[in-house]
């Protein structure tokens, strides 16, 4: 535990140093860049709120990744599953009757998101369990199909595109009905929605499931040794398919929360690569849901800090991505190093 | 002359387990030094320290007089120490030649390899087919490859960790002969084994470990068999099952056994079981067998005659192309493993690392993985009850582990096997027990316990099918012995009939009855 903190702490330190060096290279004095980054993270309710929204999306995806990974499956299809979750959520969110109570509308929206993502992952799960097709390949390829489906949905009036009234009607859906929008957490000027609560609940439930239930133990057994698990009578196929579907479902919910926050529409590229960042969070967390929560928060803060870095200090936001990559390399390297030393 | 290997005051601790404690060991050049001891005594740990795959905590080692402290296996190899591990380490997808080159990295080019292997064949009489894919080799030949792999480096010290556990009698003889020849060329061999017969046949000196300490050491001439057994397991040879005395050495005649009343009602029926193979003849070529309650039936045979596949078909790991397998009148031919377990089928699989257990999970989890439903409280897993149940099984079966939560990979090989045996025997009701090499890697005390338990299970009305390469074990345990030959079961042979051993030997070669 202490070693883990040391590893993550050291990685952050190195990443910060690299970030400062990059900022200096970009022409910003370290103190200016540092201030800009800090302001982008904690400087205003707006900054912190949007960081929390990103955190929620990443945490949901990484939680799903961790569940499937426990059963020995690697889900790299978060992006596509988000897309499908978003489409399903939009379909429900724009067509609910005006007087629907918010609780009902939100539940319907989230269930639709979950179902959309789970179905999309279910395709890969079916191929894996029935046909033995490697899920890394199928989930990866389904990402591109999923993203194309979003394009299709927002360009076709027969699907989800808002009615075209003029030449410059944007290719996006109608806004969700009022009741289906995620309520704000409360602090003035903060865009933070209850998505972060949803994500926190998911992380806690998943931690309980994996650690303290029979299902969690069975998933672990399947992940560690498929032949032994089968020999002992565990329903290997069902457990694998189920875990991958849940991973997809959680990514779908993440997509739904994106749709149900400002500007409340389905638009091209609404997934903005969060599916892949969530995958990275899951990989870095190495099966620990505590780490999922921590790393999601760090990445959420970095994302919002990076935007401000560009706005206020003129340092390209891409340098934040470099910093993230350095973080990844440090943590992964430390893991390999420790594996070699532990004898 | 300086000893080849000298250990003084060596200690190693894993967490709370003291695996080795103040161990002194002297291995002379030109001798085969046997390391004996019960399961978990520290034999593998000792080998791992010398080979550099674990680091010692205290004490010192000397190799041919020079201080020696390898930090990794590569360093040990460079200094002329080679090791054959308790579990195989070849890459099955590659050919024998590729595996050998892999081990040698850049030091050897393919043309040179052929010459070197030829030289080894001439020197030790160990032939391997360089072009054969490893996956298709019987375990005995794989073991030869492992040894050739070691000899290629021309080691000064050869460590063999239970190399005979997976071998049949003929292969064991060949391996022991190789050991002798290696020693005669002036090198040193450390041989870990549980079988006293092998010790007497190949060893010059022995060191017995008990609980990580040296219980006795010296030239073998100074020990009687009884003494060795007492040192190893702390019991008198006479206390052990009489068949064990025979089991110690597969070439000796078994002690006479008392015939038991068996003819209970039929429990299991196999009819015309057939398993096709993509290349070559059918692996199972119409197996018929009827097992009665209380009956113990053995399957002998040279490895690769379909006995592994028979176990796989019965356990549900492979599905038969034709035929029927019935348990208590229920057709289980295509049933899922869970259904088979519920019907009362217990299976001790041959390859425990592959399908017998999950080495990354704890002892308790491994014991109860198939029965987690019984440990649910408020929807959560009742770990306390699991731990308590596991603690009972650990005590009852004499499993050496630091506790019920210890991950299985921290247990010694024999203790892992005990966990598997304990789990399968705990099945209730147990109607049919299929035991493939149930005593593989167990010390003689544990073998005794397992055989007693298998007999008890039969006495309580279960039918038992034992597949084993230990002929003596089959002859003393079973009511009748079948012989697997090219996918069929020949026999039966009554174990107490005079000349049963020769009869089985003939059937193994396919001679008609
Ligand atoms: N990595 C590990 N972590 C914790 N304990 C370990 C580890 N490896 C071995 N042990 C413990 O050290 C002791 C000695 O184990 P070792 O494998 O050397 O026994 P062994 O004599 O080879 O037994 P066997 O005949 O069953 O192979 C055992 O009690 C085992 O549980
Ligand atoms: Mg061992």
């Amino acid at each position: 535990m202490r070693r883990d903190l040391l590893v993550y702490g050291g990685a952050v330190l190195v990443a910060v140093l690299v970030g400062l060096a990059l900022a200096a290279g970009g022409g910003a004095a370290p103190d200016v860049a540092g201030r800009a980054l800090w302001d982008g993270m904690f400087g205003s309710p707006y900054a912190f709120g949007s960081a929390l929204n990103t955190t929620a999306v990443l945490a949901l995806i990484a939680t799903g990744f961790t569940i499937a990974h426990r059963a020995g499956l690697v889900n790299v299809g978060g992006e596509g599953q988000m897309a499908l979750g978003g489409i399903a959520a939009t379909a429900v969110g724009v067509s609910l009757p005006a007087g629907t109570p918010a609780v009902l509308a939100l539940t319907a929206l989230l269930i639709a998101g979950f179902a959309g993502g789970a179905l999309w992952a279910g395709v890969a799960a079916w191929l894996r369990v029935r046909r033995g097709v490697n899920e890394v390949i199928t989930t990866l390829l389904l990402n591109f199909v999923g993203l194309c489906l979003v394009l299709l949905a927002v360009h076709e009036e027969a699907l989800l595109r808002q009615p075209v009234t003029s030449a410059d009607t944007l290719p996006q859906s109608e806004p969700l009905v009022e009741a289906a929008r995620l309520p704000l957490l409360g602090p003035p000027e903060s865009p933070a929605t209850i998505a972060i609560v949803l994500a926190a609940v998911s992380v806690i439930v998943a931690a309980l499931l994996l650690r303290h239930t029979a299902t969690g133990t069975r998933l672990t057994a399947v992940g560690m040794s498929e032949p032994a698990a089968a020999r002992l009578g565990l329903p290997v196929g069902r457990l694998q398919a189920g875990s991958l579907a849940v991973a997809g479902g959680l990514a779908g919910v993440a997509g739904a929360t994106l749709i149900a926050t400002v500007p409340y529409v389905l638009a091209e590229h609404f997934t903005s690569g969060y599916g892949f960042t969530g995958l990275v969070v899951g990989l870095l967390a190495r099966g620990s849901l505590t780490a999922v929560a921590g790393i999601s928060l760090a990445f959420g803060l970095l994302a919002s800090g990076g935007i401000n870095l560009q706005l206020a200090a003129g340092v390209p936001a891409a340098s934040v991505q470099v910093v993230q990559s350095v973080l990844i390399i440090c943590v992964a390297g430390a893991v390999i190093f420790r594996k070699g030393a532990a004898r | 002359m300086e000893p080849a290997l000298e250990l003084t005051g060596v200690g190693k601790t894993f967490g709370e387990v003291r695996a080795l404690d103040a161990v002194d060991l002297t291995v002379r050049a030109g001798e085969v030094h046997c390391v004996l001891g019960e399961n978990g005594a520290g034999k593998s740990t000792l080998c791992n320290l010398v080979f550099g795959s674990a680091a010692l905590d205290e004490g010192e080692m000397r190799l041919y007089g020079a201080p020696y402290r390898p930090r990794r296996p590569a360093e040990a190899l460079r200094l002329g120490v080679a090791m054959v591990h308790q579990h195989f380490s070849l890459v099955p997808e590659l050919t024998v030649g590729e595996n050998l080159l892999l081990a040698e990295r850049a030091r050897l080019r393919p043309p040179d390899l052929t010459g070197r292997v030829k030289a080894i064949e001439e020197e030790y009489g160990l032939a391997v087919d360089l072009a054969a894919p490893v996956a298709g080799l019987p375990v005995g030949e794989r073991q030869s490859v492992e040894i050739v792999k070691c000899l290629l480096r021309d080691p000064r010290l050869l460590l063999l960790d239970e190399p005979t556990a997976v071998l049949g009698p003929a292969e064991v003889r060949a391996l022991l002969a190789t050991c002798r020849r290696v020693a005669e060329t002036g090198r040193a061999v450390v041989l870990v084994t549980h079988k006293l017969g092998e010790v007497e046949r190949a060893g010059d000196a022995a060191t017995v470990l008990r609980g990580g300490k040296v219980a006795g050491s010296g030239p073998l001439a100074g020990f009687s068999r009884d003494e060795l057994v007492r040192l190893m397991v702390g019991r008198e040879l006479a206390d052990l099952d009489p068949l064990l005395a025979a089991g110690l050495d597969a070439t000796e005649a078994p002690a006479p056994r008392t015939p038991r009343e068996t003819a209970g009602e039929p429990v299991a029926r196999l009819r015309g079981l057939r398993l096709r193979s993509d290349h070559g003849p059918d692996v199972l070529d119409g197996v018929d067998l009827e097992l009665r309650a209380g009956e113990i039936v053995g399957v002998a045979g040279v490895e690769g005659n379909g006995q592994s596949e028979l176990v796989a078909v019965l356990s549900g790991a492979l599905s038969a192309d034709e035929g029927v397998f019935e348990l208590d009148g229920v057709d289980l031919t295509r049933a899922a493993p869970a259904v088979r377990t519920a019907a009362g089928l217990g299976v001790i699989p041959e390859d425990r690392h592959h399908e017998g257990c999950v080495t990354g999970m704890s002892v308790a989890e491994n014991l109860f993985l198939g029965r987690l439903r019984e440990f649910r409280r408020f929807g959560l897993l009742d770990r306390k009850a699991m731990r308590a149940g596991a603690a009972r099984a650990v005590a009852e079966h004499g499993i050496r582990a630091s506790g019920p939560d210890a991950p299985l990979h921290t247990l010694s090989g024999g203790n892992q096997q005990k966990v598997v045996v304990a789990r399968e025997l705990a099945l209730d009701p147990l109607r049919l027990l299929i035991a493939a090499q149930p005593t593989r890697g167990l010390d003689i005390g544990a073998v005794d316990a397992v055989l007693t338990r298998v007999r008890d299970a039969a006495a309580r009305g279960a039918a038992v099918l034992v597949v084993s390469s230990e002929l003596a074990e089959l002859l003393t345990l079973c009511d009748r012995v079948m012989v697997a030959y090219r996918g069929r079961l020949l026999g039966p042979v009554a174990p107490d009939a005079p000349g049963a051993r020769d009869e089985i030997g003939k059937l193994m070669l396919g001679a008609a009855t």
Side-chain angles (χ1 to χ4, degrees), chain B residues 14 17 19 39-45 86 162 194 410-414:
Chain B
F14 292 109
V17 181
N39 295 130
K43 306 180 294 298
S44 296
T45 306
Q86 191 165 5
E162 294 193 41
H194 289 295
T410 66
L411 270 62
S412 77

Side-chain angles (χ1 to χ4, degrees), chain B residues 382-469:
Chain B
D382 188 355
R383 297 228 175 241
K384 225 166 111 199
M386 275 175 77
R387 230 170 266 142
R392 268 196 303 281
V394 163
E396 189 189 341
H397 288 261
I399 297 167
R400 269 194 66 166
S402 55
D405 287 331
L408 216 62
H409 67 80
T410 66
L411 270 62
S412 77
N415 282 300
Q416 293 173 1
Q417 178 75 2
K418 288 189 206 170
V419 171
V420 176
V421 171
R423 182 185 66 216
E424 298 301 324
L425 284 175
L427 221 58
D428 189 28
L430 181 62
R431 297 294 295 150
L432 173 61
L433 176 67
I434 297 176
Q437 317 286 1
T439 60
R440 176 174 284 181
L442 293 185
D443 66 50
I444 50 178
V447 170
D448 183 59
V450 167
L451 296 185
T452 310
R453 290 214 165 83
V454 168
R455 279 207 202 90
D456 287 349
R460 273 180 273 124
V464 181
L465 185 69
V466 186
V467 179
S468 174
S469 53

Side-chain angles (χ1 to χ4, degrees), chain A residues 16-98:
Chain A
V16 165
L17 289 179
V18 169
L20 287 179
L22 274 177
D31 60 328
V32 176
R35 173 89 33 76
L37 188 67
W38 182 264
D39 284 348
M41 299 203 263
F42 304 104
S44 65
Y46 177 82
F48 189 62
S50 46
L52 282 186
N53 285 347
T54 309
T55 301
V57 170
L58 297 181
L60 282 167
I61 295 169
T63 301
F65 174 87
T66 304
I67 292 174
H69 196 248
R70 198 55 70 92
L73 300 180
V74 180
N75 177 31
V76 294
E79 192 81 4
Q81 292 146 8
M82 270 172 79
L84 265 284
I87 293 175
T90 312
V92 169
V94 295
S95 52
L96 283 172

Side-chain angles (χ1 to χ4, degrees), chain A residues 208 210-215 217-218 220-222 224-234 343, chain B residues 52-55 71 337-338 347 354-355 357-358 360-361 365 369-370 372-373 380-381 383 423-424:
Chain A
L208 264 180
L210 291 184
R211 191 186 276 240
H212 292 292
T213 68
T215 311
T217 307
R218 292 192 184 111
T220 311
V222 169
M224 286 183 167
S225 168
E226 244 179 83
R231 163 79 270 292
L232 288 169
L234 305 191
R343 293 192 309 147
Chain B
S53 38
R71 267 166 307 165
V347 180
H354 184 58
E355 53 176 3
C357 58
V358 185
M361 297 181 85
E365 284 167 332
L369 204 47
L372 291 178
R373 201 162 317 190
L380 297 184
L381 204 56
R383 297 228 175 241
R423 182 185 66 216
E424 298 301 324

Side-chain angles (χ1 to χ4, degrees), chain B residues 258-273:
Chain B
T258 40
R260 285 178 306 118
E261 280 306 317
T262 47
E265 83 279 16
V267 171
R269 203 173 271 136
L270 328 182
R271 270 200 312 262
L273 282 179

